């Protein structure tokens, strides 16, 4: 059974539809059912979602393992997939507030959920973010493929890593973000050549921390993401040095699926500590054929 969760809602609407596959469930108690990684990569395609998160079996007091797949294969981390998994686990445990120990790519952390009717607020620490300035060569390749209008580009593009590297590109206004019409074949070639997951374009934050952003990731089979939590966490780490403690990032409007992600960033013993949060809603469950092994 696959559960569809809309992650990163805005005002109870929109969000990124995400497939949640609970591997602790099986059709019969006396059979072991597993999926190969190739089969996992096909789940999101079959369900019509950009990403799928696989929730591992609970073993004693061990953390719950999460794995993430797109049509192009496995990802080391996925922020809105984590939001969807936390919401799913909270729904499985009923209303109220919940805390779950999660494990992604060997890293253990806590996901928290607070239920309010059919909406669930999920929050977690995505882990340490590594940021470096992008070179002029890197910026030139990516900006050309993005089709950023003359005069809209702002200095300060960077490469940020949270599981995988991606480029963060600032532009002048929300309108400049909306107006982008990237050449996805060229953007994929540029990102593949530079070893990037994709490109996150964002407007210069307002004084209150408001941002409009779009994430293009054709290299992983996602031309444009409705919501990208991990790239937003990277932005929070980047902007913390400029005095922005909290950000509210709107995405997805161009795709007709309004999405919002909120972040906070605080100094920590090993660098900036970022928290990300978003609302989610469990939409429906869909039957999926298991394969016995």
């Amino acid at each position: 059974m696959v559960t569809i969760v809309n992650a990163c809602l805005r005002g109870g609407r929109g969000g990124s539809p995400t497939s949640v596959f609970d591997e602790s469930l099986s059709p019969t108690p006396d059979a072991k059912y597993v999926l190969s990684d190739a089969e996992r990569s096909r789940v999101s395609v079959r369900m019509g979602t950009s990403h799928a998160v696989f929730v591992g079996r609970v073993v004693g007091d061990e953390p719950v393992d999460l794995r993430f797949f797109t049509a192009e294969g496995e990802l080391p981390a996925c922020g809105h997939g984590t939001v969807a998994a936390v919401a799913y686990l909270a729904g499985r445990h009923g209303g109220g507030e919940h805390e779950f120990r999660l494990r992604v790519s060997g890293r253990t952390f806590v996901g928290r959920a607070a239920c309010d009717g059919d909406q669930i607020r999920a929050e977690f620490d995505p882990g340490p973010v590594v940021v470096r300035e992008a070179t002029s060569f890197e910026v030139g390749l990516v900006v050309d493929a993005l089709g950023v209008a003359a005069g809209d580009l702002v200095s300060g593009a960077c490469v940020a890593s949270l599981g995988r590297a991606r480029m963060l590109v600032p532009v002048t206004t929300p309108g400049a973000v909306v107006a982008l019409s990237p050449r996805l074949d060229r953007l994929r070639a540029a990102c593949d050549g530079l070893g990037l997951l994709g490109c996150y374009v964002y407007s210069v934050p307002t004084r209150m921390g408001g941002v409009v952003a779009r994430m293009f990731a054709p290299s992983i089979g996602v031309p444009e993401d409705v919501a990208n939590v991990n790239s937003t966490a990277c932005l929070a780490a980047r902007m913390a040095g400029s005095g922005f403690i909290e950000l509210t990032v709107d995405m997805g409007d161009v795709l007709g699926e309004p999405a919002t992600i909120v972040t906070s960033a605080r100094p920590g013993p090993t660098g900036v500590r970022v928290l990300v949060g978003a609302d989610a809603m469990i939409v429906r469950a869909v039957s999926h054929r298991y394969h016995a092994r």
Side-chain angles (χ1 to χ4, degrees), residues 4-5 13 32 43 61 67 81 86 111 158 171 175-177 185 196 201-202 204 250-251:
I4 306 300
V5 177
R13 301 186 303 113
K32 181 178 181 181
V43 167
D61 294 329
R67 296 180 68 189
V86 170
C158 68
V171 295
V177 177
D185 55 342
L196 301 175
V201 185
Y202 65 96
V204 173
D250 288 340
M251 302 185 71

Side-chain angles (χ1 to χ4, degrees), residues 83-172:
V83 168
V86 170
Y88 169 79
L89 290 168
R92 197 171 71 177
H93 285 75
E97 297 185 358
H98 303 278
E99 190 171 285
F100 307 101
R101 292 178 65 233
L102 308 172
R103 183 164 52 207
V104 175
S105 298
R107 174 180 171 263
T108 299
F109 58 99
V110 172
R112 296 181 176 85
C115 303
D116 182 8
D118 59 356
Q119 290 191 51
I120 302 166
R121 167 55 65 98
E123 182 182 76
F124 67 97
D125 174 355
V129 179
V130 178
V131 182
R132 66 167 176 83
E133 300 299 323
T135 68
S136 59
F137 174 74
E138 291 170 326
V139 173
L141 282 180
V142 170
V143 167
D144 179 65
L146 285 170
V148 178
D152 285 343
L153 183 66
V154 177
S155 62
C158 68
V159 174
S161 298
L162 186 60
R164 285 181 64 179
R166 76 282 325 271
M167 187 179 291
L168 276 54
V169 177
V171 295
T172 51

